[in-house]
Amino acid sequence: MRHQVRDKKLGRSSSHRKALMASLVCHLIEEKRIKTTLMKAKEARRVAEKMITLGLKGTLAARRQAIATLRRPERVATLFDEVAPQFKDRPGGYTRITKLGQRRSDGSEMAILEWVGVEAPDKTRKTEKVEETEAA
C-alpha cells in the first residue's frame, strides 16, 4: 500500500528521478517555460515551488540546500538573484501548468510548466533578425 507516499515513480530509479527533477527545474529557471509530460510537470512543480521558497529565504543555508537539490550553482544563483525576488509579495503558487493535449507519437498528455507573472523570452528573435537583414 502507498500510505503517505507522495512522489510518483515515473518508471525510474530514485537517483534517475532526482536528476530528472533537478534538470527540469534548472531548465525552468533558465528558460522560464518548459514543455514536458503532465506527470513530469506536476512533479517538477513541487520541486520548483520549494526552490522558490528557499530563494525567498535568501540565507546561506537555503542556498546550500538549493545547490544540493539542483546540482548547478549557476542556476541557483539565477534563482536567488533574479527569479525568487519577483515573488516576494506572493504567498505561494509560483508556477502554472497548462495542458496541451496528447502527443502524437505515444499519446502522452503534454503540458507547459511556467512561472506565474514572469515573461518568457520570446522565441521570435531569429525571425526579427532575418527581417532586419532583409530590410537593410
Side-chain angles (χ1 to χ4, degrees):
M1 287 186 260
R2 290 180 50 91
H3 292 296
Q4 295 188 356
V5 178
R6 301 285 187 262
D7 295 341
K8 298 289 184 189
K9 291 187 179 181
L10 300 173
R12 292 164 170 80
S13 64
S14 60
S15 59
H16 188 183
R17 191 168 49 250
K18 288 176 186 175
L20 172 70
M21 290 302 120
S23 176
L24 286 173
V25 174
C26 284
H27 281 89
L28 179 61
I29 291 168
E30 181 182 359
E31 301 291 330
K32 312 295 188 240
R33 172 185 296 170
I34 57 172
K35 180 179 174 183
T36 184
T37 64
L38 182 62
M39 293 313 297
K40 287 180 191 173
K42 286 181 178 181
E43 285 299 306
R45 165 190 252 180
R46 295 178 64 222
V47 177
E49 302 261 344
K50 290 176 184 177
M51 293 301 106
I52 291 293
T53 302
L54 289 175
L56 291 174
K57 288 181 183 176
T59 63
L60 179 60
R63 191 174 291 262
R64 286 178 176 167
Q65 284 179 326
I67 290 172
T69 301
L70 297 181
R71 306 172 185 179
R72 291 189 189 168
E74 64 278 2
R75 295 290 173 254
V76 172
T78 305
L79 171 73
F80 275 65
D81 298 338
E82 298 172 16
V83 180
Q86 297 178 9
F87 297 112
K88 65 180 178 215
D89 297 329
R90 193 175 186 90
Y94 311 115
T95 58
R96 170 188 306 128
I97 295 177
T98 306
K99 294 181 181 180
L100 295 177
Q102 293 183 332
R103 186 164 50 194
R104 282 187 76 178
S105 62
D106 61 356
S108 294
E109 188 73 24
M110 298 301 289
I112 290 178
L113 177 63
E114 61 187 351
W115 299 117
V116 174
V118 176
E119 288 289 323
D122 200 10
K123 298 292 182 180
T124 60
R125 288 184 183 170
K126 291 181 182 177
T127 57
E128 290 174 4
K129 289 180 183 177
V130 170
E131 290 173 4
E132 289 175 5
T133 56
E134 290 175 358

